[in-house]
PDB file of all heavy atoms in Angstrom:
ATOM      1  N   PRO D  29      -3.665   9.432  12.028  1.00 98.00           N
ATOM      2  CA  PRO D  29      -3.382   9.042  10.644  1.00 98.00           C
ATOM      3  C   PRO D  29      -3.952  10.023   9.633  1.00 98.00           C
ATOM      4  O   PRO D  29      -4.722   9.648   8.729  1.00 98.00           O
ATOM      5  CB  PRO D  29      -4.050   7.662  10.536  1.00 98.00           C
ATOM      6  CG  PRO D  29      -5.123   7.648  11.548  1.00 98.00           C
ATOM      7  CD  PRO D  29      -4.680   8.566  12.662  1.00 98.00           C
ATOM      8  N   GLY D  30      -3.628  11.261   9.793  1.00 97.00           N
ATOM      9  CA  GLY D  30      -3.984  12.323   8.857  1.00 97.00           C
ATOM     10  C   GLY D  30      -5.203  13.067   9.350  1.00 97.00           C
ATOM     11  O   GLY D  30      -6.159  12.436   9.801  1.00 97.00           O
ATOM     12  N   SER D  81     -10.701  16.401  -1.146  1.00 98.00           N
ATOM     13  CA  SER D  81      -9.951  15.428  -0.345  1.00 98.00           C
ATOM     14  C   SER D  81      -9.982  14.046  -0.992  1.00 98.00           C
ATOM     15  O   SER D  81     -10.578  13.848  -2.075  1.00 98.00           O
ATOM     16  CB  SER D  81     -10.528  15.391   1.079  1.00 98.00           C
ATOM     17  OG  SER D  81     -11.786  14.752   1.061  1.00 98.00           O
ATOM     18  N   GLY D  82      -9.392  13.064  -0.323  1.00 98.00           N
ATOM     19  CA  GLY D  82      -9.286  11.709  -0.856  1.00 98.00           C
ATOM     20  C   GLY D  82     -10.589  11.146  -1.406  1.00 98.00           C
ATOM     21  O   GLY D  82     -10.617  10.464  -2.436  1.00 98.00           O
ATOM     22  N   THR D  83     -11.695  11.451  -0.726  1.00 98.00           N
ATOM     23  CA  THR D  83     -12.991  10.899  -1.151  1.00 98.00           C
ATOM     24  C   THR D  83     -13.368  11.426  -2.537  1.00 98.00           C
ATOM     25  O   THR D  83     -14.035  10.726  -3.309  1.00 98.00           O
ATOM     26  CB  THR D  83     -14.062  11.250  -0.098  1.00 98.00           C
ATOM     27  OG1 THR D  83     -13.579  10.816   1.190  1.00 98.00           O
ATOM     28  CG2 THR D  83     -15.383  10.567  -0.390  1.00 98.00           C
ATOM     29  N   ALA D  84     -12.947  12.624  -2.890  1.00 98.00           N
ATOM     30  CA  ALA D  84     -13.212  13.147  -4.241  1.00 98.00           C
ATOM     31  C   ALA D  84     -12.561  12.247  -5.276  1.00 98.00           C
ATOM     32  O   ALA D  84     -13.146  11.941  -6.315  1.00 98.00           O
ATOM     33  CB  ALA D  84     -12.714  14.595  -4.360  1.00 98.00           C
ATOM     34  N   MET D  86     -11.812   9.068  -4.771  1.00 98.00           N
ATOM     35  CA  MET D  86     -12.533   7.767  -4.753  1.00 98.00           C
ATOM     36  C   MET D  86     -13.738   7.867  -5.690  1.00 98.00           C
ATOM     37  O   MET D  86     -14.006   6.975  -6.485  1.00 98.00           O
ATOM     38  CB  MET D  86     -13.072   7.458  -3.331  1.00 98.00           C
ATOM     39  CG  MET D  86     -12.018   7.167  -2.305  1.00 98.00           C
ATOM     40  SD  MET D  86     -12.743   6.874  -0.654  1.00 98.00           S
ATOM     41  CE  MET D  86     -12.921   5.100  -0.659  1.00 98.00           C
ATOM     42  N   PHE D 108     -13.044   2.455   4.862  1.00 98.00           N
ATOM     43  CA  PHE D 108     -12.872   3.040   3.525  1.00 98.00           C
ATOM     44  C   PHE D 108     -13.245   2.061   2.405  1.00 98.00           C
ATOM     45  O   PHE D 108     -13.660   2.465   1.332  1.00 98.00           O
ATOM     46  CB  PHE D 108     -11.469   3.638   3.396  1.00 98.00           C
ATOM     47  CG  PHE D 108     -11.291   4.736   4.427  1.00 98.00           C
ATOM     48  CD1 PHE D 108     -10.528   4.549   5.560  1.00 98.00           C
ATOM     49  CD2 PHE D 108     -12.011   5.907   4.305  1.00 98.00           C
ATOM     50  CE1 PHE D 108     -10.432   5.535   6.546  1.00 98.00           C
ATOM     51  CE2 PHE D 108     -11.927   6.902   5.281  1.00 98.00           C
ATOM     52  CZ  PHE D 108     -11.147   6.706   6.404  1.00 98.00           C
ATOM     53  N   ARG D 111     -16.790   2.673   2.148  1.00 98.00           N
ATOM     54  CA  ARG D 111     -17.074   3.891   1.360  1.00 98.00           C
ATOM     55  C   ARG D 111     -17.049   3.596  -0.135  1.00 98.00           C
ATOM     56  O   ARG D 111     -17.847   4.123  -0.888  1.00 98.00           O
ATOM     57  CB  ARG D 111     -16.071   4.999   1.734  1.00 98.00           C
ATOM     58  CG  ARG D 111     -16.424   6.330   1.100  1.00 98.00           C
ATOM     59  CD  ARG D 111     -15.635   7.459   1.698  1.00 98.00           C
ATOM     60  NE  ARG D 111     -15.849   7.610   3.117  1.00 98.00           N
ATOM     61  CZ  ARG D 111     -15.199   8.482   3.906  1.00 98.00           C
ATOM     62  NH1 ARG D 111     -14.321   9.299   3.384  1.00 98.00           N
ATOM     63  NH2 ARG D 111     -15.456   8.543   5.203  1.00 98.00           N
ATOM     64  N   VAL D 152      -8.959  -1.040  -0.990  1.00 98.00           N
ATOM     65  CA  VAL D 152      -8.077  -0.111  -0.268  1.00 98.00           C
ATOM     66  C   VAL D 152      -6.746  -0.806  -0.022  1.00 98.00           C
ATOM     67  O   VAL D 152      -6.712  -1.951   0.409  1.00 98.00           O
ATOM     68  CB  VAL D 152      -8.725   0.293   1.072  1.00 98.00           C
ATOM     69  CG1 VAL D 152      -7.817   1.235   1.851  1.00 98.00           C
ATOM     70  CG2 VAL D 152     -10.109   0.926   0.856  1.00 98.00           C
ATOM     71  N   ASN D 154      -4.071   0.392   2.070  1.00 98.00           N
ATOM     72  CA  ASN D 154      -3.845   0.432   3.518  1.00 98.00           C
ATOM     73  C   ASN D 154      -5.155   0.895   4.175  1.00 98.00           C
ATOM     74  O   ASN D 154      -5.518   2.069   4.060  1.00 98.00           O
ATOM     75  CB  ASN D 154      -2.725   1.413   3.832  1.00 98.00           C
ATOM     76  CG  ASN D 154      -2.401   1.467   5.315  1.00 98.00           C
ATOM     77  OD1 ASN D 154      -1.932   0.511   5.883  1.00 98.00           O
ATOM     78  ND2 ASN D 154      -2.650   2.610   5.935  1.00 98.00           N
ATOM     79  N   GLU D 155      -5.867  -0.031   4.784  1.00 98.00           N
ATOM     80  CA  GLU D 155      -7.180   0.292   5.395  1.00 98.00           C
ATOM     81  C   GLU D 155      -6.914   1.013   6.723  1.00 98.00           C
ATOM     82  O   GLU D 155      -6.676   0.387   7.745  1.00 98.00           O
ATOM     83  CB  GLU D 155      -8.000  -0.991   5.515  1.00 98.00           C
ATOM     84  CG  GLU D 155      -9.375  -0.861   6.119  1.00 98.00           C
ATOM     85  CD  GLU D 155     -10.239   0.278   5.584  1.00 98.00           C
ATOM     86  OE1 GLU D 155     -10.896   0.145   4.543  1.00 98.00           O
ATOM     87  OE2 GLU D 155     -10.265   1.322   6.275  1.00 98.00           O
ATOM     88  N   THR D 156      -6.936   2.341   6.641  1.00 98.00           N
ATOM     89  CA  THR D 156      -6.524   3.194   7.755  1.00 98.00           C
ATOM     90  C   THR D 156      -7.395   2.952   9.014  1.00 98.00           C
ATOM     91  O   THR D 156      -6.899   3.091  10.131  1.00 98.00           O
ATOM     92  CB  THR D 156      -6.643   4.668   7.348  1.00 98.00           C
ATOM     93  OG1 THR D 156      -6.222   4.794   5.990  1.00 98.00           O
ATOM     94  CG2 THR D 156      -5.790   5.566   8.204  1.00 98.00           C
ATOM     95  N   SER D 157      -8.653   2.670   8.819  1.00 98.00           N
ATOM     96  CA  SER D 157      -9.568   2.527   9.964  1.00 98.00           C
ATOM     97  C   SER D 157      -9.199   1.316  10.841  1.00 98.00           C
ATOM     98  O   SER D 157      -9.527   1.284  12.029  1.00 98.00           O
ATOM     99  CB  SER D 157     -11.000   2.362   9.483  1.00 98.00           C
ATOM    100  OG  SER D 157     -11.144   1.179   8.727  1.00 98.00           O
ATOM    101  N   ASP D 181      -7.173   2.377  -3.715  1.00 98.00           N
ATOM    102  CA  ASP D 181      -7.073   3.523  -2.807  1.00 98.00           C
ATOM    103  C   ASP D 181      -5.715   3.447  -2.128  1.00 98.00           C
ATOM    104  O   ASP D 181      -5.468   2.568  -1.308  1.00 98.00           O
ATOM    105  CB  ASP D 181      -8.213   3.432  -1.784  1.00 98.00           C
ATOM    106  CG  ASP D 181      -8.115   4.454  -0.668  1.00 98.00           C
ATOM    107  OD1 ASP D 181      -7.009   4.965  -0.394  1.00 98.00           O
ATOM    108  OD2 ASP D 181      -9.148   4.703  -0.006  1.00 98.00           O
ATOM    109  N   ALA D 182      -4.820   4.360  -2.537  1.00 98.00           N
ATOM    110  CA  ALA D 182      -3.468   4.383  -1.950  1.00 98.00           C
ATOM    111  C   ALA D 182      -3.320   5.636  -1.109  1.00 98.00           C
ATOM    112  O   ALA D 182      -2.222   6.214  -0.983  1.00 98.00           O
ATOM    113  CB  ALA D 182      -2.423   4.311  -3.048  1.00 98.00           C
ATOM    114  N   ILE D 183      -4.412   6.080  -0.515  1.00 98.00           N
ATOM    115  CA  ILE D 183      -4.455   7.344   0.201  1.00 98.00           C
ATOM    116  C   ILE D 183      -3.451   7.380   1.365  1.00 98.00           C
ATOM    117  O   ILE D 183      -2.805   8.397   1.604  1.00 98.00           O
ATOM    118  CB  ILE D 183      -5.911   7.677   0.657  1.00 98.00           C
ATOM    119  CG1 ILE D 183      -6.693   8.116  -0.581  1.00 98.00           C
ATOM    120  CG2 ILE D 183      -5.952   8.747   1.745  1.00 98.00           C
ATOM    121  CD1 ILE D 183      -8.130   8.485  -0.368  1.00 98.00           C
ATOM    122  N   THR D 184      -3.328   6.260   2.052  1.00 98.00           N
ATOM    123  CA  THR D 184      -2.376   6.274   3.200  1.00 98.00           C
ATOM    124  C   THR D 184      -1.143   5.405   2.916  1.00 98.00           C
ATOM    125  O   THR D 184      -0.509   4.907   3.858  1.00 98.00           O
ATOM    126  CB  THR D 184      -3.052   5.882   4.535  1.00 98.00           C
ATOM    127  OG1 THR D 184      -3.854   4.733   4.342  1.00 98.00           O
ATOM    128  CG2 THR D 184      -3.893   7.019   5.061  1.00 98.00           C
ATOM    129  N   PHE D 202      -5.059   6.498  -6.371  1.00 98.00           N
ATOM    130  CA  PHE D 202      -5.102   7.872  -5.902  1.00 98.00           C
ATOM    131  C   PHE D 202      -4.567   7.988  -4.488  1.00 98.00           C
ATOM    132  O   PHE D 202      -4.474   6.995  -3.772  1.00 98.00           O
ATOM    133  CB  PHE D 202      -6.546   8.428  -5.978  1.00 98.00           C
ATOM    134  CG  PHE D 202      -7.570   7.479  -5.462  1.00 98.00           C
ATOM    135  CD1 PHE D 202      -7.905   7.448  -4.129  1.00 98.00           C
ATOM    136  CD2 PHE D 202      -8.214   6.583  -6.313  1.00 98.00           C
ATOM    137  CE1 PHE D 202      -8.823   6.564  -3.645  1.00 98.00           C
ATOM    138  CE2 PHE D 202      -9.147   5.682  -5.846  1.00 98.00           C
ATOM    139  CZ  PHE D 202      -9.468   5.665  -4.486  1.00 98.00           C
ATOM    140  N   GLY D 204      -3.978  11.028  -0.953  1.00 98.00           N
ATOM    141  CA  GLY D 204      -4.531  12.211  -0.302  1.00 98.00           C
ATOM    142  C   GLY D 204      -3.406  13.098   0.227  1.00 98.00           C
ATOM    143  O   GLY D 204      -2.391  12.593   0.729  1.00 98.00           O
ATOM    144  N   GLN D 206      -3.145  15.105   2.823  1.00 98.00           N
ATOM    145  CA  GLN D 206      -2.929  15.274   4.287  1.00 98.00           C
ATOM    146  C   GLN D 206      -2.332  14.061   4.976  1.00 98.00           C
ATOM    147  O   GLN D 206      -2.275  14.011   6.191  1.00 98.00           O
ATOM    148  CB  GLN D 206      -4.261  15.643   4.943  1.00 98.00           C
ATOM    149  CG  GLN D 206      -5.225  14.494   5.213  1.00 98.00           C
ATOM    150  CD  GLN D 206      -6.084  14.091   4.014  1.00 98.00           C
ATOM    151  OE1 GLN D 206      -5.667  14.237   2.884  1.00 98.00           O
ATOM    152  NE2 GLN D 206      -7.256  13.576   4.267  1.00 98.00           N
ATOM    153  N   LYS D 207      -1.888  13.088   4.180  1.00 98.00           N
ATOM    154  CA  LYS D 207      -1.415  11.830   4.760  1.00 98.00           C
ATOM    155  C   LYS D 207       0.118  11.766   4.709  1.00 98.00           C
ATOM    156  O   LYS D 207       0.781  12.603   5.287  1.00 98.00           O
ATOM    157  CB  LYS D 207      -2.074  10.672   4.038  1.00 98.00           C
ATOM    158  CG  LYS D 207      -3.612  10.749   3.979  1.00 98.00           C
ATOM    159  CD  LYS D 207      -4.268  10.519   5.323  1.00 98.00           C
ATOM    160  CE  LYS D 207      -5.775  10.376   5.195  1.00 98.00           C
ATOM    161  NZ  LYS D 207      -6.448  10.211   6.456  1.00 98.00           N
ATOM    162  N   LEU D 215      -6.630  18.242  -0.873  1.00 98.00           N
ATOM    163  CA  LEU D 215      -6.267  17.824  -2.234  1.00 98.00           C
ATOM    164  C   LEU D 215      -6.133  16.321  -2.308  1.00 98.00           C
ATOM    165  O   LEU D 215      -5.805  15.663  -1.310  1.00 98.00           O
ATOM    166  CB  LEU D 215      -4.924  18.430  -2.662  1.00 98.00           C
ATOM    167  CG  LEU D 215      -4.784  19.954  -2.677  1.00 98.00           C
ATOM    168  CD1 LEU D 215      -3.313  20.326  -2.986  1.00 98.00           C
ATOM    169  CD2 LEU D 215      -5.702  20.589  -3.695  1.00 98.00           C
ATOM    170  N   GLN D 344     -13.349   4.207  14.372  1.00 97.00           N
ATOM    171  CA  GLN D 344     -14.441   4.798  13.601  1.00 97.00           C
ATOM    172  C   GLN D 344     -15.657   3.863  13.606  1.00 97.00           C
ATOM    173  O   GLN D 344     -15.511   2.655  13.734  1.00 97.00           O
ATOM    174  CB  GLN D 344     -13.993   5.048  12.156  1.00 97.00           C
ATOM    175  CG  GLN D 344     -12.944   6.156  12.060  1.00 97.00           C
ATOM    176  CD  GLN D 344     -12.280   6.192  10.697  1.00 97.00           C
ATOM    177  OE1 GLN D 344     -11.461   5.379  10.347  1.00 97.00           O
ATOM    178  NE2 GLN D 344     -12.634   7.191   9.894  1.00 97.00           N
TER     179      GLN D 344
HETATM  180  C1  PLP N 420      -7.624   4.740   3.150  1.00 72.91           C
HETATM  181  C2  PLP N 420      -8.441   5.995   3.100  1.00 72.91           C
HETATM  182  N1  PLP N 420      -9.292   6.161   2.092  1.00 72.91           N
HETATM  183  C3  PLP N 420     -10.058   7.257   2.005  1.00 72.91           C
HETATM  184  C4  PLP N 420     -10.004   8.261   2.955  1.00 72.91           C
HETATM  185  C5  PLP N 420     -10.863   9.456   2.824  1.00 72.91           C
HETATM  186  O1  PLP N 420     -10.083  10.552   2.574  1.00 72.91           O
HETATM  187  P1  PLP N 420     -10.576  12.042   2.871  1.00 72.91           P
HETATM  188  O2  PLP N 420     -10.992  12.112   4.302  1.00 72.91           O
HETATM  189  O3  PLP N 420      -9.367  12.834   2.540  1.00 72.91           O
HETATM  190  O4  PLP N 420     -11.715  12.347   1.957  1.00 72.91           O
HETATM  191  C6  PLP N 420      -9.121   8.115   4.028  1.00 72.91           C
HETATM  192  C7  PLP N 420      -9.042   9.147   5.101  1.00 72.91           C
HETATM  193  O5  PLP N 420      -8.654   8.896   6.207  1.00 72.91           O
HETATM  194  C8  PLP N 420      -8.318   6.960   4.108  1.00 72.91           C
HETATM  195  O6  PLP N 420      -7.451   6.793   5.115  1.00 72.91           O
END
Side-chain angles (χ1 to χ4, degrees):
S81 72
T83 308
M86 293 178 92
F108 299 106
R111 188 168 300 176
V152 178
N154 183 66
E155 180 46 83
T156 323
S157 63
D181 171 338
I183 286 180
T184 46
F202 45 87
Q206 79 277 29
K207 307 289 189 181
L215 301 174
Q344 290 168 286

